[in-house]
Every structure is written in C-alpha cells, then in structure tokens.
Amino acid sequence: MRPEILFDLFKSVTSLQGVGPRNAVTLENATGGNRLVDLLWHLPVNIIDRRYAPKITEAQTGIVATITVQVLKHKKSPNRRAPYKVECGDDMGKLTLVFFHAHEDYLRKVLPEGETRVVSGIVENFSGALQMTHPDHIGTLEDIEKLQAIEPVYGLTAGLTLKTISKAIRAALDMVPELPEWLDGAQCSQQGWSGWKATLLEAHNPDGSSALEPNATPRLRLAYDELLANQLALAVVRRTLRRQKGRAIKTTGKLSEIVLGALPFQLTPSQITALEEISTDMSGNERMLRLLQGDVGSGKTIVALLAMLGAIEAGHQSAIMAPTEILARQHLSTITPLVEACGLNVVFLSGREKGKTRKSVLESISSGTAHIIIGTHALFQDDVEFFDLAFAVIDEQHRFGVHQRLTLAAKGRAVDMLVMTATPIPRTLMLTAYGDLEVSRLTEKPAGRLPVDTRVMPIERLDHVIDGLRRSIETGARIYWVCPLVEQSEKIDAAAAEERHKYLVSQFGIPRVGLVHGRLKGAQKDAVMADFKTGNLDILVATTVIEVGVDVPEATIMVIEHAERYGLSQLHQLRGRIGRGSGTSVCLLLYASPLGAMAKKRLKILRETEDGFLIAEEDLRLRGAGELLGTRQSGLPEFHIADLANHGDLLATARRDAQLILERDPELSSERGKALRVLLYLFECDAAVKNLRSG
Ligand code: ADP
Ligand code: MG
C-alpha cells in the first residue's frame, strides 16, 4: 500500500482550489495525467524574464518589462469596438494600458485610479506613445518581488492558459511533503544535489534558461530518482524470480528431431546458437529469463517452438502468448501442422472463446491433456490454471507490461520464460525495460528476404500513387495501405481508415479493397485477413493492426500514410511485412507537407537502410527514447523526467546503485531502504514493492 506521506500527491487535480472538471481535462491533455504528481513532473519548457524593471521613459520596446506605475484614469471609448484604455504614469512618463473586449468592473477593481500598481508585459511604441496591451500580470507593490522575477513557462495544449497551469502547479507544489532521503549522502554532496523537495521546487523555478537544460543540476537529480526507481523495481522483481528456484528440464530431443526433420529448411547459425543458449538455461537450476531478439521474419517462431518442445519432452506444458488475436492465430496455424506428426495436443485461448468451448479448453489446460497452449492476454486470467506449465514464450514482448510478464510467470511452478521481440531495442533502453536480461539474437538477414525499395513522397501525389498501384494490381501485386495513427483513440483511427477505404473503393471497386482496424470484431478481422491472404483482396487498408508478425508473402507493396507521425522502428517493422516473397517490394512513405528538417532526416534513414538496429539507434539519437517505438504501443517504461538520449550515463549509475542497495539491504528494511520504498511508490512501481517481504 502506498505510504500515507504520498497520499496528497496522488489526489486528483480537482482537489486543488480553482481546478474544476473542465480544467482537469485540459491539464490532463498537457501533463498526461490527472493527479498532483502529474503536475509535479511537468517541468517548465521555457522562461519569461520579468526582471527588467525600467522607468517608463527608459523602457525598451518590444521586450517584457515589469513597471511600477500610478493608475491615472480609465478611458472607456464610446465606440464599442475601440479598446478600453487605462492611463498610467510614473514621475517621468506616461504608459497606456490597452484592453480589448474589456470588463470594466474587473479592470476598475485591479487598477483603481490613484493607486500604485505593478504591471508586467511587452511595452510597445504606438505612434509615439508608450503602451502595454493586455499586461500578463497586474499586481500591487506587495507582489513586486513575485512579479519582477523569472516566470516558468509550461507546455500547454488547446484550451489551457499558462495562468491556469501555473496556478495549478504552484498549488500542487504547496502540497509537496518533505520526503525522507533515498539517495546516498556521498553521491548527493558529490553531485551538488539538494533534497528531493528542494530540488523539485528549484526545477519549477528556473533561474535562467540554462536551468531548462536536461543536465541542469536539479533536473539531473530528478532524472536520477526516476531511473533509480526503475532500476530498483526491475532488480527487485528479477531477484524474486531468481529466488524461486527453477527446475532442471531434461530435454530428450525426441520431439524436436521429428519437427526439425520435417522442416523444408535448415536452421541458420544464429537460430542454432539461440537454441543452445535456451536449452542451457532450461537444463540449469535457475529460472530462465531470456530475450530472443530478431528482425521481423528472422525466424523466431521456430526457435520458440523447438524450445517449447524441449519442455514437453520432459513431460511438462508449454505456452506461447501473443499480444493480439491475429498474431496468436497465426502462431496456431504455423505450429499446428508442424507438431501434428508428434501427436501433440495444441489448444487455443483468447478472449473470444466463450461458454462450452472455453470451458473445455480450460479443462484440457488444467488436466494436462493440452501440451501446447497458444493464446492472447486471456492466458493471464485468473481462471486459467495450468497442469504443469514449465516454459512460456511471450511474443512481441514490448506490447506487454512488466506486470503482465510476471503474472504469467507466476502461473507455473518456476516457469522458464522466453520473451521475443522484433524491436531492435538499443542496449540503454533494454536496461530500462528488462534490467539485466539474457539476450539471444538472430542476426542473419531473414531467410529469403529481398531488399525493399523505399520511397518518400508527399501525399499531394496521391493520384500518381493510385495510378502506379493500378498498374501493379494488373500484374498481380497485393498491397497494404496503412492509415495513420491520428489520436490516442482507436475510434478516430478507425474513422480515418474507413474514409481512406471509401476513397480507394471508389478508385478500385468494392470487391478488391478490404478494411481492417482495431474496432472490428475478431471474426470480421479474421475474415478480411484471410481474404487478403488468399488473394480475394488486392488492397488491405489497415490501421497498425496489421501487426508485426502477420505473414502474407505475396504482398509486395506497402503504402504508409503520414509516415512522419510514426517512430522509425515502427515504420521499419511495418515495412517488414513486405519483401518476403519472390518479387521486388516497394514501400511508399507518404507524408503531409511541409516536412520539417528532422522528419526529413528520419525518413531518409529509412530509405537508406534496412538494418533494424541502426534504425533504432538513429531514432534514439534523433528523437529520444520516449518516441522511439511510438510510445503508444511500446510498452517500454515512459519516463517523466529522465530522457535516455541525455541521461544514459545516469542509467548506468542507477543500475549499479540498485544492485548495491539490494546486496546490502535485500528487503529494503533499513532507514534508507524505507525511503527507497517511498521512492518506488512515488514513481508508481507498486508491483515491485509487493515482491519485498512485508511489502
Ligand atoms: P519472426 O522472427 O518475424 O517471428 P517467423 O518465425 O515468422 O519470423 O519466420 C518467418 C518465415 O521464415 C517463416 O515462414 C519461417 O517458416 C521461415 N523460416 C524460419 N527459419 C528459417 C530458416 N532457417 N530458413 C528459411 N526459412 C526460415
Ligand atoms: Mg513473429
């Protein structure tokens, strides 16, 4: 349970005075959350320097100045459209404050005639007279210190003003408690780091633009806190897995030999190496936790299957889980014929199995008559009981969170886990997502892959694209048309895809163009995919539900709309759907002009290389980790403050620190250990704390 000291920070922003439900929405759009902590992590992106405080006559125009004036006279023009003016002055000069759509009552209240006021804003010269249009701030002499200062500027979204968010953040900062120090004292003094609360306040009160840099001292500390929480959480979880003894699985090779013999190809050297690494892990007493990394089409599935057979040979059950129904079904259709000759019972479980079917599948899983269990998240559910699960494969791992990974692990007695990903995660990122995970890599170019001719062009050339497709279809080409991710909403994505589908139908005729998106029912999706696979459809319009993993070798053309919105790795994965068959494949990246310099650079990388690792590293360099995989789907931890492009070395330190901490205080029960528990809760690593005794 979250410690009481943090309760306030996890309250809704509506608990702050002046924040109602409407502001809560705009604040959430800007900060990504609706609690006080979300405001705290929203650090300033800029500053306005209001320290310039000249006399009126000396005021430089065009820049922000904070001026102390005497309010002289309110002037309401009889012409309704003319602005409302308030004449002010100091001992030397005159300054007119100008307001459009003014509320006279309000202005008379904040600027009473005859009083002294402090106003801050940009001074302009309007045909010889000095004026300030809509001062940003108006205050009394008492406020001068607050006004004549550096004001932080926060990232905003539509409908949210700087005033509103600043006020909310100030209010949230007022609620911040003093927390016990979780960092090592020596490290803090060496780095010049203050305590957490002081650091947070400092980060929200930048004293100049250099304080906005990712390597400004307060930001470094906050980033370090976050990375330490991440690494400590992973280390705790990892240790729990390790502590549960694994069991030595004695494979006989009897089943895998049958399957190997029936394969129409030889394993590649890296597939063989990966299998050796996996079986070494399996035969050992420790629990296996290994990542199998390989580009799309590099042949991870067969490696997984052969490893699964090893556990079955030893008398146990194996499971493989994919993040989507489509992918899981694809595994089913690949695996079933391969193991037929072995007499194994393969069962399938997804959210779609209901009633009797579901019951009988569950029964075969719990009675042990099912040898291989293939499915989706449904395998995590509480009512799924395994007879003797010894080996679990998680495909396309990055879509699953740490929690889910652990839930499946907990389902068996000492389950060995193999997680598979096509995402070429750079080492730095790997550490944040998995901690120290053993890695096997499939490095050969995927079997039978041909280079894809990648072209980048503006959407304005759509007509030209359509003409080209028409010619290709005549020669029998099959085409993926990928519609953009518009919003954080499947509904809106689906609508965009529907519109594009309509248009393409108008161009090519109904029977030839199919549509698949996340809002379709499972059976509908399957039917469309099947039609595309068999060639009943020439064009498949899709949102990114044409998942990494879908295999239609006949598809040789892919059009990706709004390619500039995708992460490079995501584009790379999408592109991996083509170039699998015999013909030359073409990938058209359509962008909406104008294309920024950065976007241009990024798309150029894709045109130049098909090396997934190179692409990922470049993307990390150009955009930073958050965007690398397309955050929406990455499942990698998203950091609030830490930024791996800048804080990679802090991550390494945090990792060492986390290890050291656990060596000395495995249950986090010392004084510092208790503070570290608060840190874990602060960064919402609650699941990790549960792995501690008396957690
Ligand atoms: P991924 O790594 O994307 O999951 P798959 O396992 O789906 O890749 O494999 C892609 C295709 O390559 C499949 O049709 C598979 O049968 C084939 N394949 C796998 N290993 C080899 C190999 N060593 N030689 C030739 N083809 C292979
Ligand atoms: Mg795959």
Coordinates of all heavy atoms in Angstrom, one line a residue, residues 539-606:
I539 N -6.1 -5.0 -52.1 CA -5.6 -3.9 -51.2 C -6.2 -4.1 -49.9 O -7.4 -4.4 -49.7 CB -6.0 -2.5 -51.7 CG1 -5.5 -2.3 -53.2 CG2 -5.5 -1.5 -50.8 CD1 -5.8 -1.0 -53.7
L540 N -5.4 -4.1 -48.9 CA -5.8 -4.2 -47.5 C -5.6 -2.8 -46.8 O -4.4 -2.4 -46.6 CB -5.1 -5.3 -46.7 CG -5.6 -5.4 -45.3 CD1 -7.0 -6.0 -45.2 CD2 -4.6 -6.4 -44.5
V541 N -6.6 -2.1 -46.5 CA -6.5 -0.8 -45.8 C -6.5 -1.2 -44.3 O -7.4 -1.9 -43.9 CB -7.7 0.1 -46.1 CG1 -7.5 1.4 -45.3 CG2 -7.7 0.4 -47.6
A542 N -5.5 -0.7 -43.6 CA -5.4 -1.1 -42.2 C -4.9 0.1 -41.3 O -4.1 0.9 -41.8 CB -4.5 -2.3 -42.1
T543 N -5.3 0.1 -40.1 CA -4.5 0.9 -39.1 C -3.4 -0.1 -38.7 O -3.2 -1.1 -39.3 CB -5.4 1.2 -37.9 OG1 -6.0 0.0 -37.4 CG2 -6.5 2.2 -38.2
T544 N -2.6 0.3 -37.7 CA -1.5 -0.6 -37.4 C -1.9 -2.0 -36.9 O -1.0 -2.7 -36.4 CB -0.5 0.1 -36.4 OG1 -1.3 0.7 -35.5 CG2 0.4 1.0 -37.1
V545 N -3.1 -2.3 -37.0 CA -3.5 -3.7 -36.6 C -2.8 -4.7 -37.5 O -2.8 -5.9 -37.2 CB -5.0 -4.0 -36.6 CG1 -5.6 -3.4 -35.4 CG2 -5.6 -3.6 -37.8
I546 N -2.3 -4.3 -38.7 CA -1.6 -5.3 -39.5 C -0.3 -5.4 -38.7 O 0.7 -4.7 -38.9 CB -1.3 -4.9 -41.0 CG1 -0.7 -3.5 -41.1 CG2 -2.5 -5.1 -41.8 CD1 0.1 -3.4 -42.3
E547 N -0.4 -6.2 -37.7 CA 0.7 -6.3 -36.7 C 2.0 -6.7 -37.3 O 2.1 -7.5 -38.2 CB 0.2 -7.2 -35.6 CG -1.1 -7.0 -35.1 CD -1.1 -5.8 -34.2 OE1 -0.1 -5.3 -33.9 OE2 -2.2 -5.4 -33.8
V548 N 3.0 -6.4 -36.6 CA 4.2 -7.0 -36.6 C 3.9 -8.5 -36.5 O 3.3 -8.9 -35.6 CB 5.1 -6.7 -35.4 CG1 6.4 -6.2 -35.8 CG2 4.4 -5.7 -34.5
G549 N 4.3 -9.3 -37.5 CA 4.1 -10.7 -37.4 C 3.2 -11.3 -38.4 O 3.2 -12.5 -38.6
V550 N 2.3 -10.5 -39.0 CA 1.4 -11.0 -40.0 C 2.2 -11.4 -41.2 O 3.0 -10.7 -41.7 CB 0.3 -10.0 -40.3 CG1 -0.5 -10.5 -41.5 CG2 -0.6 -9.8 -39.1
D551 N 1.9 -12.6 -41.7 CA 2.7 -13.1 -42.8 C 1.9 -13.4 -44.1 O 1.1 -14.3 -44.2 CB 3.3 -14.4 -42.3 CG 4.5 -14.8 -43.1 OD1 5.0 -14.0 -43.9 OD2 5.0 -16.0 -42.9
V552 N 2.0 -12.4 -45.0 CA 1.4 -12.6 -46.4 C 2.5 -12.4 -47.4 O 2.7 -11.3 -47.9 CB 0.2 -11.7 -46.6 CG1 -0.4 -11.9 -48.0 CG2 -0.8 -11.8 -45.5
P553 N 3.3 -13.4 -47.7 CA 4.4 -13.3 -48.6 C 4.1 -12.7 -49.9 O 5.0 -12.0 -50.6 CB 5.0 -14.7 -48.8 CG 4.3 -15.5 -47.8 CD 3.1 -14.8 -47.3
E554 N 2.9 -12.8 -50.4 CA 2.5 -12.3 -51.7 C 2.4 -10.8 -51.7 O 2.3 -10.2 -52.8 CB 1.2 -12.9 -52.2 CG 1.2 -14.4 -52.4 CD 1.1 -15.2 -51.1 OE1 0.8 -14.6 -50.1 OE2 1.2 -16.4 -51.2
A555 N 2.3 -10.2 -50.6 CA 2.1 -8.7 -50.5 C 3.5 -8.1 -50.8 O 4.5 -8.4 -50.1 CB 1.6 -8.3 -49.2
T556 N 3.5 -7.2 -51.8 CA 4.8 -6.7 -52.2 C 4.8 -5.2 -52.2 O 5.9 -4.5 -52.4 CB 5.2 -7.1 -53.6 OG1 4.2 -6.8 -54.5 CG2 5.6 -8.6 -53.6
I557 N 3.7 -4.6 -51.9 CA 3.7 -3.1 -51.9 C 3.0 -2.6 -50.5 O 2.1 -3.2 -50.1 CB 2.8 -2.5 -53.0 CG1 3.5 -2.9 -54.4 CG2 2.7 -1.0 -52.9 CD1 2.7 -2.5 -55.6
M558 N 3.6 -1.6 -50.0 CA 3.1 -1.1 -48.8 C 3.0 0.5 -48.9 O 4.1 1.1 -49.2 CB 3.8 -1.5 -47.5 CG 3.3 -0.8 -46.2 SD 4.1 -1.4 -44.7 CE 3.3 -3.0 -44.6
V559 N 1.9 1.0 -48.7 CA 1.8 2.5 -48.7 C 1.5 2.9 -47.2 O 0.7 2.3 -46.5 CB 0.6 3.0 -49.5 CG1 0.5 4.5 -49.5 CG2 0.7 2.5 -50.9
I560 N 2.3 3.8 -46.7 CA 2.1 4.2 -45.3 C 1.8 5.7 -45.3 O 2.6 6.5 -45.7 CB 3.3 4.0 -44.4 CG1 3.7 2.5 -44.5 CG2 3.1 4.4 -43.0 CD1 4.9 2.1 -43.7
E561 N 0.6 6.1 -44.9 CA 0.2 7.5 -44.9 C 0.7 8.1 -43.6 O 0.8 7.5 -42.6 CB -1.3 7.6 -44.9 CG -1.9 7.6 -46.3 CD -3.4 8.0 -46.2 OE1 -3.7 9.1 -45.9 OE2 -4.2 7.1 -46.4
H562 N 1.0 9.4 -43.7 CA 1.5 10.2 -42.6 C 2.7 9.5 -41.9 O 2.8 9.3 -40.7 CB 0.4 10.4 -41.6 CG -0.4 11.6 -41.9 ND1 0.1 12.9 -42.0 CD2 -1.7 11.6 -42.2 CE1 -0.9 13.7 -42.4 NE2 -2.0 12.9 -42.5
A563 N 3.6 9.0 -42.8 CA 4.8 8.3 -42.3 C 5.5 9.1 -41.3 O 6.1 8.6 -40.3 CB 5.7 7.9 -43.5
E564 N 5.4 10.4 -41.4 CA 6.2 11.3 -40.5 C 5.7 11.2 -39.0 O 6.4 11.6 -38.1 CB 6.1 12.8 -41.0 CG 4.8 13.5 -40.7 CD 3.7 13.2 -41.7 OE1 3.9 12.4 -42.6 OE2 2.6 13.8 -41.6
R565 N 4.5 10.6 -38.8 CA 4.0 10.5 -37.5 C 4.5 9.3 -36.7 O 4.3 9.2 -35.5 CB 2.5 10.5 -37.5 CG 1.9 11.8 -37.9 CD 0.4 11.7 -37.8 NE -0.3 12.9 -38.4 CZ -1.5 12.9 -38.7 NH1 -2.3 11.9 -38.5 NH2 -2.0 14.0 -39.2
Y566 N 5.1 8.4 -37.5 CA 5.4 7.1 -36.8 C 6.9 7.2 -36.3 O 7.7 8.0 -36.8 CB 5.4 6.0 -37.9 CG 4.0 5.5 -38.2 CD1 3.3 6.1 -39.3 CD2 3.4 4.5 -37.6 CE1 2.1 5.7 -39.7 CE2 2.2 4.1 -37.9 CZ 1.5 4.7 -39.0 OH 0.2 4.2 -39.3
G567 N 7.1 6.3 -35.4 CA 8.5 6.1 -34.9 C 9.2 5.3 -36.1 O 8.6 4.6 -36.8
L568 N 10.5 5.6 -36.2 CA 11.2 4.9 -37.3 C 11.2 3.4 -37.1 O 11.0 2.6 -38.1 CB 12.7 5.3 -37.3 CG 13.0 6.7 -37.8 CD1 14.5 6.9 -38.0 CD2 12.3 6.9 -39.1
S569 N 11.3 2.9 -35.9 CA 11.3 1.5 -35.7 C 10.0 0.9 -36.0 O 9.9 -0.2 -36.6 CB 11.6 1.1 -34.2 OG 13.0 1.5 -34.0
Q570 N 8.9 1.6 -35.8 CA 7.6 1.2 -36.1 C 7.5 1.1 -37.6 O 6.9 0.1 -38.2 CB 6.6 2.2 -35.6 CG 5.5 1.6 -34.9 CD 4.5 2.7 -34.4 OE1 4.9 3.8 -34.3 NE2 3.3 2.3 -34.2
L571 N 8.0 2.1 -38.3 CA 7.9 2.0 -39.8 C 8.7 0.8 -40.3 O 8.3 0.2 -41.2 CB 8.5 3.3 -40.4 CG 7.6 4.6 -40.2 CD1 8.4 5.8 -40.7 CD2 6.3 4.4 -41.0
H572 N 9.9 0.6 -39.7 CA 10.7 -0.5 -40.1 C 10.0 -1.8 -39.9 O 10.0 -2.7 -40.8 CB 12.0 -0.5 -39.2 CG 12.9 -1.7 -39.5 ND1 13.5 -1.9 -40.6 CD2 13.2 -2.7 -38.6 CE1 14.2 -3.0 -40.6 NE2 14.0 -3.5 -39.3
Q573 N 9.3 -1.9 -38.8 CA 8.5 -3.1 -38.6 C 7.4 -3.3 -39.6 O 7.1 -4.4 -40.1 CB 7.9 -3.1 -37.2 CG 8.9 -2.9 -36.1 CD 8.8 -4.0 -35.1 OE1 7.8 -4.7 -35.0 NE2 9.8 -4.2 -34.3
L574 N 6.7 -2.2 -39.8 CA 5.6 -2.3 -40.8 C 6.2 -2.7 -42.2 O 5.6 -3.6 -42.8 CB 4.9 -0.9 -40.9 CG 4.0 -0.5 -39.8 CD1 3.6 0.9 -39.9 CD2 2.8 -1.4 -39.8
R575 N 7.3 -2.1 -42.5 CA 7.9 -2.4 -43.8 C 8.3 -3.9 -43.9 O 8.3 -4.5 -44.9 CB 9.1 -1.5 -44.0 CG 9.8 -1.7 -45.3 CD 10.8 -0.6 -45.6 NE 11.9 -0.7 -44.5 CZ 13.0 0.1 -44.6 NH1 13.1 1.0 -45.5 NH2 13.9 0.0 -43.6
G576 N 8.6 -4.4 -42.7 CA 9.0 -5.8 -42.7 C 7.9 -6.8 -43.2 O 8.1 -8.0 -43.4
R577 N 6.7 -6.3 -43.3 CA 5.6 -7.1 -43.8 C 5.8 -7.5 -45.3 O 5.2 -8.4 -45.8 CB 4.2 -6.4 -43.7 CG 3.8 -5.9 -42.3 CD 3.5 -6.9 -41.3 NE 4.7 -7.1 -40.5 CZ 5.3 -8.3 -40.3 NH1 4.8 -9.4 -40.8 NH2 6.3 -8.3 -39.5
I578 N 6.5 -6.6 -46.0 CA 6.7 -6.9 -47.4 C 8.2 -7.3 -47.6 O 9.0 -7.3 -46.7 CB 6.3 -5.7 -48.3 CG1 7.1 -4.4 -47.8 CG2 4.8 -5.4 -48.2 CD1 6.9 -3.3 -48.8
G579 N 8.5 -7.7 -48.8 CA 9.8 -8.2 -49.1 C 10.0 -9.6 -48.7 O 11.1 -10.1 -48.4
R580 N 8.9 -10.3 -48.5 CA 9.0 -11.7 -48.0 C 8.9 -12.7 -49.1 O 9.2 -13.9 -49.0 CB 7.9 -12.0 -47.0 CG 8.0 -11.0 -45.8 CD 7.0 -11.4 -44.8 NE 7.5 -11.1 -43.5 CZ 7.2 -11.6 -42.4 NH1 6.3 -12.6 -42.3 NH2 7.8 -11.3 -41.2
G581 N 8.3 -12.2 -50.2 CA 8.0 -13.2 -51.3 C 9.1 -13.1 -52.3 O 10.3 -12.8 -52.0
S582 N 8.8 -13.4 -53.6 CA 9.8 -13.5 -54.6 C 10.0 -12.2 -55.4 O 11.1 -11.9 -55.8 CB 9.5 -14.7 -55.6 OG 8.1 -14.5 -56.0
G583 N 8.9 -11.4 -55.6 CA 9.1 -10.2 -56.4 C 9.8 -9.1 -55.6 O 9.9 -9.2 -54.4
T584 N 10.1 -8.0 -56.3 CA 10.7 -6.9 -55.7 C 9.5 -6.2 -54.9 O 8.4 -6.1 -55.4 CB 11.2 -5.8 -56.7 OG1 11.4 -6.5 -57.9 CG2 12.4 -5.1 -56.2
S585 N 9.8 -5.6 -53.8 CA 8.8 -5.0 -53.0 C 9.1 -3.5 -52.9 O 10.2 -3.0 -53.0 CB 8.8 -5.5 -51.6 OG 8.3 -6.8 -51.6
V586 N 8.0 -2.7 -52.8 CA 8.1 -1.3 -52.8 C 7.4 -0.8 -51.6 O 6.2 -1.2 -51.3 CB 7.5 -0.6 -54.0 CG1 7.6 0.9 -54.0 CG2 8.2 -1.2 -55.3
C587 N 8.0 0.1 -50.8 CA 7.4 0.8 -49.7 C 7.3 2.3 -50.0 O 8.3 2.9 -50.2 CB 8.1 0.5 -48.4 SG 7.4 1.3 -47.0
L588 N 6.0 2.8 -50.0 CA 5.9 4.2 -50.2 C 5.5 4.9 -48.9 O 4.5 4.6 -48.3 CB 4.7 4.4 -51.2 CG 4.9 3.9 -52.6 CD1 3.6 4.1 -53.4 CD2 6.1 4.5 -53.3
L589 N 6.4 5.8 -48.5 CA 6.2 6.6 -47.3 C 5.5 7.9 -47.7 O 6.2 8.8 -48.3 CB 7.5 6.8 -46.5 CG 8.2 5.5 -46.1 CD1 9.5 5.8 -45.5 CD2 7.3 4.6 -45.2
L590 N 4.3 8.1 -47.5 CA 3.6 9.3 -47.8 C 3.6 10.3 -46.6 O 3.3 9.9 -45.5 CB 2.2 9.1 -48.2 CG 1.9 8.1 -49.4 CD1 0.5 8.0 -49.7 CD2 2.7 8.6 -50.6
Y591 N 4.0 11.5 -46.9 CA 4.0 12.5 -45.8 C 3.1 13.7 -46.1 O 2.9 13.9 -47.3 CB 5.4 12.9 -45.4 CG 6.1 13.6 -46.6 CD1 6.0 15.0 -46.8 CD2 7.0 12.9 -47.4 CE1 6.6 15.6 -47.8 CE2 7.7 13.6 -48.4 CZ 7.5 14.9 -48.6 OH 8.1 15.5 -49.7
A592 N 2.7 14.4 -45.1 CA 2.0 15.6 -45.3 C 3.0 16.8 -45.3 O 3.7 16.9 -44.4 CB 0.9 15.8 -44.2
S593 N 3.0 17.5 -46.4 CA 3.9 18.7 -46.4 C 3.4 19.8 -45.6 O 2.2 19.9 -45.4 CB 4.2 19.2 -47.9 OG 3.5 18.4 -48.8
P594 N 4.2 20.7 -45.1 CA 5.7 20.6 -45.3 C 6.3 19.7 -44.3 O 5.8 19.6 -43.2 CB 6.1 22.1 -45.1 CG 5.1 22.6 -44.1 CD 3.8 21.9 -44.4
L595 N 7.4 19.1 -44.7 CA 8.1 18.2 -43.9 C 9.3 18.9 -43.2 O 10.1 19.5 -43.9 CB 8.6 17.0 -44.8 CG 9.0 15.7 -44.0 CD1 7.9 15.1 -43.2 CD2 9.5 14.7 -45.1
G596 N 9.3 18.9 -41.9 CA 10.4 19.5 -41.2 C 11.7 18.9 -41.4 O 11.8 17.7 -41.9
A597 N 12.8 19.6 -41.1 CA 14.1 19.1 -41.3 C 14.4 17.8 -40.6 O 14.9 16.8 -41.2 CB 15.2 20.1 -40.9
M598 N 13.9 17.7 -39.4 CA 14.1 16.5 -38.6 C 13.4 15.3 -39.2 O 13.9 14.2 -39.4 CB 13.6 16.7 -37.2 CG 13.5 15.5 -36.3 SD 15.2 15.0 -35.8 CE 15.4 16.1 -34.4
A599 N 12.1 15.5 -39.6 CA 11.3 14.5 -40.2 C 12.0 14.0 -41.5 O 12.0 12.8 -41.8 CB 9.9 15.0 -40.4
K600 N 12.5 15.0 -42.2 CA 13.2 14.6 -43.5 C 14.3 13.7 -43.2 O 14.5 12.6 -43.9 CB 13.7 15.9 -44.1 CG 13.6 15.9 -45.7 CD 13.9 17.2 -46.3 CE 12.6 18.0 -46.7 NZ 12.9 19.4 -47.0
K601 N 15.1 14.0 -42.2 CA 16.3 13.2 -41.9 C 15.9 11.8 -41.5 O 16.5 10.8 -41.9 CB 17.0 13.8 -40.7 CG 18.3 14.5 -41.0 CD 19.1 14.8 -39.7 CE 19.7 16.2 -39.7 NZ 20.0 16.8 -38.5
R602 N 14.8 11.8 -40.7 CA 14.4 10.5 -40.2 C 13.9 9.6 -41.4 O 14.3 8.4 -41.4 CB 13.3 10.7 -39.2 CG 13.8 11.4 -38.0 CD 12.7 11.6 -37.0 NE 12.1 10.4 -36.5 CZ 10.8 10.1 -36.7 NH1 10.0 10.9 -37.3 NH2 10.4 8.9 -36.3
L603 N 13.1 10.1 -42.2 CA 12.6 9.3 -43.3 C 13.7 8.9 -44.3 O 13.7 7.8 -44.9 CB 11.5 10.0 -44.1 CG 10.2 10.2 -43.3 CD1 9.1 10.9 -44.1 CD2 9.7 8.9 -42.7
K604 N 14.7 9.7 -44.3 CA 15.9 9.4 -45.2 C 16.6 8.2 -44.7 O 17.0 7.3 -45.4 CB 16.8 10.6 -45.2 CG 18.0 10.5 -46.2 CD 18.6 11.8 -46.5 CE 20.0 11.7 -47.1 NZ 21.0 11.8 -46.1
I605 N 16.7 8.1 -43.4 CA 17.4 6.9 -42.8 C 16.7 5.6 -43.2 O 17.3 4.6 -43.6 CB 17.3 7.0 -41.2 CG1 18.2 8.1 -40.8 CG2 17.8 5.7 -40.6 CD1 18.0 8.5 -39.3
L606 N 15.4 5.7 -43.2 CA 14.6 4.5 -43.6 C 14.8 4.1 -45.1 O 14.8 3.0 -45.4 CB 13.1 4.8 -43.4 CG 12.3 3.7 -42.8 CD1 12.9 3.3 -41.4 CD2 10.9 4.3 -42.5

